[in-house]
Amino acid sequence: MNLIRPKLSKLFYSNGPKQTLPDCGIAVVPWYHSEAVFHSYSDSKTASCKVPSLQMLPFFVDNFGPKYTEWTTTAHEQSPGHHLEVRSYIATFRSKCNDVISWLSRPNYFPGFTEGWATYAENPVMANDTDIYNNTSNKNVLLQKYGMLKYQILAALRTLLDININYYNMSGMKAVLLYNKYAWGSRAMAPKDITRFQSSPGL
């Protein structure tokens, strides 16, 4: 996060009445959900940020990596992804009035919107609107860029499979074959991801 946040200063307000870059801390912790295959975000639920928000790493996977997904995962779960999205809503945009409009706007989790924003944060915000991936002569930058591109493929594949599994009744076997074809190195992830599609369509 220390590498990413300075890149965002030209894109988001970091102070003043329009501030959207969150001041609240975020902690990285293990997530003991047996079917989890991707990182997850949990907000602190308090405006004061006494308890930090969480980026949760799935524990029951082969490893917490791979390392080449570090930047794009951090962008997705922290800033400019979910952490910025949720904390800026609570601090800046959520109504302070206790009226009907406030009550209607308080539930602010709509999977298509929130995951759409976080994917947008990965690319194009980080990929095109900052220079974080520009120095491809640096092997680590090149590796992280590969991770970003791989996650774009995964996002497209997951969208396709979510629809095909839940609407067109695609078989789990065919879905696994598509994972093997397009999402290199994701074989351990595929069965858990497919279970997630089946149990929570649209996520």
Side-chain angles (χ1 to χ4, degrees):
M1 188 60 199
N2 292 337
L3 178 69
I4 293 175
R5 190 178 174 100
K7 306 286 185 184
L8 304 177
S9 60
K10 294 181 180 179
L11 305 176
F12 302 95
Y13 289 98
S14 57
N15 52 55
K18 297 181 181 179
Q19 179 177 348
T20 47
L21 280 175
D23 286 332
C24 293
I26 184 166
V28 179
V29 298
W31 186 23
Y32 301 107
H33 187 301
S34 61
E35 292 300 323
V37 290
F38 283 98
H39 296 222
S40 186
Y41 173 79
S42 178
D43 179 48
S44 70
K45 310 297 184 202
T46 62
S48 64
C49 303
K50 288 183 179 178
V51 178
S53 298
L54 303 175
Q55 178 181 345
M56 301 183 294
L57 281 64
F59 183 79
F60 296 105
V61 291
D62 292 340
N63 56 58
F64 281 147
K67 290 181 180 179
Y68 60 75
T69 65
E70 179 185 359
W71 292 2
T72 199
T73 300
T74 301
H76 183 106
E77 301 296 346
Q78 297 190 27
S79 291
H82 292 314
H83 190 49
L84 181 147
E85 171 196 16
V86 174
R87 293 310 310 177
S88 65
Y89 169 73
I90 291 171
T92 307
F93 299 105
R94 187 166 71 183
S95 174
K96 306 293 190 293
C97 303
N98 191 21
D99 57 10
V100 174
I101 299 301
S102 173
W103 175 75
L104 286 172
S105 66
R106 197 163 296 275
N108 191 42
Y109 179 70
F110 304 99
F113 294 157
T114 197
E115 292 305 326
W117 169 258
T119 302
Y120 175 77
E122 293 179 54
N123 186 330
V125 174
M126 290 306 301
N128 296 345
D129 297 338
T130 76
D131 62 357
I132 196 166
Y133 296 114
N134 283 8
N135 184 17
T136 51
S137 61
N138 181 303
K139 289 183 179 179
N140 186 48
V141 173
L142 189 61
L143 199 60
Q144 295 296 331
K145 186 171 185 177
Y146 165 77
M148 177 270 295
L149 293 171
K150 178 176 178 177
Y151 267 38
Q152 293 300 297
I153 292 171
L154 274 174
L157 182 61
R158 290 168 71 194
T159 302
L160 175 81
L161 292 180
D162 193 354
I163 295 166
N164 276 276
I165 288 169
N166 291 302
Y167 187 80
Y168 293 108
N169 296 316
M170 176 186 282
S171 70
M173 180 58 70
K174 188 170 183 180
V176 168
L177 291 174
L178 286 172
Y179 260 95
N180 294 344
K181 183 176 181 179
Y182 295 108
W184 328 289
S186 303
R187 291 187 180 189
M189 175 197 306
K192 291 185 177 183
D193 223 12
I194 291 164
T195 298
R196 187 169 68 98
F197 297 147
Q198 292 169 328
S199 60
S200 302
L203 286 178

